Amino acid sequence: MASRAPTSVSVLGILRATSCRPAAALKLQRFYHSYEYTQPPPFQPAESAILSASISHVPSYGFTLNALTLGACDAGYLDVSTNLLPRGVFDLVNYHLVMQRLALKDTVQFPTEGGQGRSSSIGAKIRALTLARLHANRPVIHRWQEALAIMAQPSYVPASLDELAQLADEIWFLAGDKSVDSSWYTKRASLSAVYSATEVFMTQDTSKDFVETEKFLDARLEDAIKVGGFLGAVSGWVDYTGHSALNVLRNKGVRI
Amino acid sequence: MATARIATRSLARASSRHAAHPVLDFLAPTTAAHASCQIKSRSTHSAASPAPIAPQHSPPPEPFRHHKISHTLTDEQSDFLDSALRVNQAGELAAVLIYTAQTPPLVRSHPHLRPLMKHMHDQEDGHFRYFNELIAKHRIRPTALYPVWYAAATALGWGTAVMGREAAMACTEAVETEIGGHYNEQVRVLLDWAEKLEGKGELGEELDTLIQQLRRIRDEELEHLDHAVENDSKQAKPYELLTNVIRGGCRAAIRISEKL
């Protein structure tokens, strides 16, 4: 996505130009997912080079301008090349989020019919995918609270929530979800809530191999299933009672 | 009398036709509503194809094996497909619910209509299933107002059915006219893309199948329109009011579902 040149040399023109890029960056692979046509890459080549080099410095330097500058140098660019990233350190956080989300389809394999006779349920796949994504935070987990603080800044909140929604969508899709009604929304909303709560928990989890985080995740998923089950039962009851009443009235001769 | 109107959007988006078969295709729908395909407006489609961007990662294992084309769909094309398929799914949901709600009151007073209602319902069900598959496969967001359309379509179907056979048929006629025009416009836009892509040898099976299926679905919707007219839809007592209100509602619903 080419950044547009300012239409005038005025301050307003420059502000408009810089504000165009976050909007352009928001429109990632949101739309029709084609299997035949190639998807556009999530980052431009220069951005991608700088950010991928910077990510390797995050464990030592955190999500800071320092890491970005070192990354720019590693990639063979000048220090000022970090101006290519108008959102600064948020672009670094975003890069991590996007790349880990896109890596899910390659890194997570499910046991197929060949071995045990039947493939795992969607619930088990959701658990596996969410855990995989959480474990992908391990290299930078000691810096993750910083990243959360960056994401919580008001100007970056929409983009962060957008990324969270895309992650939830990716996980459900890879788990084999085929819902196309309002449950599409409720499933993704509940998974987003579970994932973000678990991610925050993970930042202060000191257990070996993050077993406490796994238990926390299992507890949250169970809660979500219980609530979903209850709401489904209530709506099923209402549906059934309504139809029964209608049919009884029709049998009595009421012309409805 | 039904006024032959196509939504003005279709005129704004119509492109110049060059190949012979798309013209014949548009002559196939025989109802009056589509007699105005001789209106040609020459605004060209604004999508410009970008230079193909080489993917930076090796293609991940896809559940559906397709031959990969190096062309990338533009944002406008992707956006169009996204909102078009979302609206189509919402429309078919509404159609299925209208027929489901219309059938009990209608068939009670006119038992001879049972086979016709069943036939139309089953066809709409097939369309609904098809769009559901596409939405799940291509990861399109379904309409957020799903429960609203559910309630509205059920109410519309039931309401017109208790008003009488002619009113129910007038409702079908109004809905099918709007939907037929809507699908026609989509086919037009997609054929325009297909023409351009075919010239570069980049037309894939995905788009090709989509166009064929949309044509088939459009033809079946227009067949329903014909059935409704045959069954005295035009004798409905508040004919103009009913049809105009329903068509207006459909257009509003289409516009809303495109975004929401």
Side-chain angles (χ1 to χ4, degrees):
Chain A
M1 254 149 274
S3 53
R4 292 169 222 168
T7 50
S8 67
V9 191
S10 69
V11 171
L12 197 59
I14 293 169
L15 283 177
R16 208 185 310 132
T18 49
S19 70
C20 279
R21 283 228 63 250
L26 270 182
K27 293 175 60 167
L28 288 177
Q29 291 156 302
R30 294 312 302 286
F31 307 124
Y32 180 87
H33 174 84
S34 173
Y35 292 89
E36 280 185 342
Y37 294 101
T38 49
Q39 305 288 10
F43 297 100
Q44 298 297 310
E47 280 176 19
S48 187
I50 296 178
L51 290 170
S52 57
S54 308
I55 279 285
S56 54
H57 292 291
V58 166
S60 335
Y61 295 93
F63 288 96
T64 55
L65 199 52
N66 219 347
L68 272 176
T69 321
L70 287 168
C73 291
D74 286 351
Y77 292 85
L78 301 171
D79 282 4
V80 298
S81 314
T82 52
N83 288 333
L84 208 60
L85 311 162
R87 295 180 298 183
V89 286
F90 179 73
D91 274 326
L92 190 53
V93 175
N94 183 55
Y95 181 81
H96 173 79
L97 293 174
V98 171
M99 298 314 284
Q100 295 311 328
R101 169 171 59 87
L102 294 175
L104 274 178
K105 57 177 163 307
D106 299 321
T107 54
V108 184
Q109 309 291 338
F110 300 114
T112 52
E113 284 85 350
Q116 261 78 347
R118 69 184 10 215
S119 54
S120 30
S121 66
I122 290 193
K125 288 185 187 167
I126 294 283
R127 182 183 182 278
L129 283 159
T130 315
L131 265 181
R133 177 60 187 84
L134 286 165
H135 282 300
N137 276 347
R138 282 166 76 163
V140 296
I141 195 65
H142 53 292
R143 303 288 184 187
W144 198 246
Q145 285 187 345
E146 197 179 304
L148 289 172
I150 294 169
M151 286 196 271
Q153 288 171 38
S155 36
Y156 302 139
V157 163
S160 315
L161 290 177
D162 194 56
E163 232 344 279
L164 180 60
Q166 286 195 56
L167 176 65
D169 182 46
E170 183 83 20
I171 292 179
W172 274 109
F173 176 72
L174 291 173
D177 175 50
K178 296 221 186 320
S179 58
V180 286
D181 52 8
S182 39
S183 68
W184 187 96
Y185 290 88
T186 56
K187 282 176 175 170
R188 280 146 183 80
S190 61
L191 184 62
S192 304
V194 166
Y195 176 80
S196 49
T198 316
E199 198 181 49
V200 171
F201 180 88
M202 194 173 163
T203 58
Q204 52 80 56
D205 182 16
T206 48
S207 61
K208 181 172 161 22
D209 242 8
F210 296 99
V211 287
E212 291 297 317
T213 304
E214 262 188 62
K215 283 195 219 155
F216 184 89
L217 175 66
D218 285 333
R220 298 288 77 74
L221 285 175
E222 220 178 282
D223 289 343
I225 290 172
K226 263 193 234 154
V227 169
F230 172 74
L231 291 175
V234 166
S235 79
W237 181 88
V238 169
D239 204 30
Y240 176 78
T241 309
H243 279 98
S244 305
L246 194 65
N247 287 327
V248 162
L249 288 174
R250 281 177 177 162
N251 279 334
K252 297 289 177 204
V254 179
R255 304 196 79 80
I256 49 167
Chain B
M1 195 186 84
T3 45
R5 282 190 290 141
I6 299 184
T8 50
R9 283 177 294 127
S10 66
L11 296 179
R13 285 199 208 160
S15 327
S16 54
R17 293 270 76 86
H18 296 298
H21 60 265
V23 176
L24 286 177
D25 169 59
F26 293 120
L27 289 177
T30 53
T31 56
H34 298 274
S36 45
C37 55
Q38 63 257 23
I39 299 168
K40 292 189 214 358
S41 71
R42 301 200 147 251
S43 58
T44 49
H45 186 59
S46 61
S49 41
I53 302 169
Q56 291 181 338
H57 318 280
S58 62
E62 298 285 7
F64 309 93
R65 306 254 162 239
H66 286 254
H67 160 64
K68 278 282 188 182
I69 299 172
S70 66
H71 174 74
T72 306
L73 290 174
T74 64
D75 272 1
E76 291 94 347
Q77 288 177 323
S78 213
D79 197 8
F80 177 82
L81 283 169
D82 181 65
S83 55
L85 290 171
R86 176 166 47 251
V87 173
N88 292 353
Q89 189 225 15
E92 294 303 338
L93 167 73
V96 171
L97 289 170
I98 288 175
Y99 288 129
T100 311
Q102 275 183 345
T103 305
L106 209 52
V107 163
R108 191 182 33 235
S109 0
H110 306 275
H112 67 278
L113 287 176
R114 190 188 291 276
L116 175 67
M117 294 305 292
K118 180 171 190 329
H119 166 71
M120 296 202 291
H121 174 275
D122 291 346
Q123 280 191 324
E124 296 293 0
D125 204 40
H127 302 167
F128 187 47
R129 259 188 256 276
Y130 174 68
F131 287 121
N132 283 347
E133 262 172 44
L134 279 187
I135 293 218
K137 179 176 165 194
H138 293 290
R139 305 180 64 173
I140 296 168
R141 177 179 64 83
T143 172
L145 296 178
Y146 197 97
V148 173
W149 304 140
Y150 197 104
T154 309
L156 177 65
W158 179 82
T160 50
V162 298
M163 279 169 68
R165 179 184 68 108
E166 293 84 8
M169 290 300 157
C171 165
T172 303
E173 184 200 333
V175 172
E176 298 295 3
T177 310
E178 277 308 313
I179 287 200
H182 170 71
Y183 282 139
N184 221 15
E185 180 195 327
Q186 288 183 353
V187 170
R188 205 175 283 170
V189 171
L190 289 175
L191 278 177
D192 183 50
W193 295 358
E195 229 176 275
K196 297 203 174 95
L197 288 172
E198 195 138 29
K200 294 185 270 190
E202 284 166 350
L203 179 66
E205 210 185 294
E206 230 170 59
L207 266 188
D208 208 28
T209 327
L210 180 62
I211 295 175
Q212 282 171 25
Q213 291 295 333
L214 278 181
R215 274 175 165 152
R216 172 186 67 87
I217 291 175
R218 178 207 53 202
D219 293 340
E220 287 173 6
E221 301 291 358
L222 295 175
E223 183 202 313
H224 296 176
L225 174 57
D226 291 339
H227 286 311
V229 174
E230 279 164 22
N231 279 285
D232 306 327
S233 67
K234 302 212 190 282
Q235 321 298 359
K237 272 305 136 223
Y239 179 77
E240 285 292 345
L241 180 66
L242 197 57
T243 347
N244 287 335
V245 165
I246 294 175
R247 288 181 65 175
C250 284
R251 272 196 288 272
I254 287 175
R255 230 191 319 252
I256 295 174
S257 294
E258 273 172 3
K259 293 296 160 224
L260 205 49

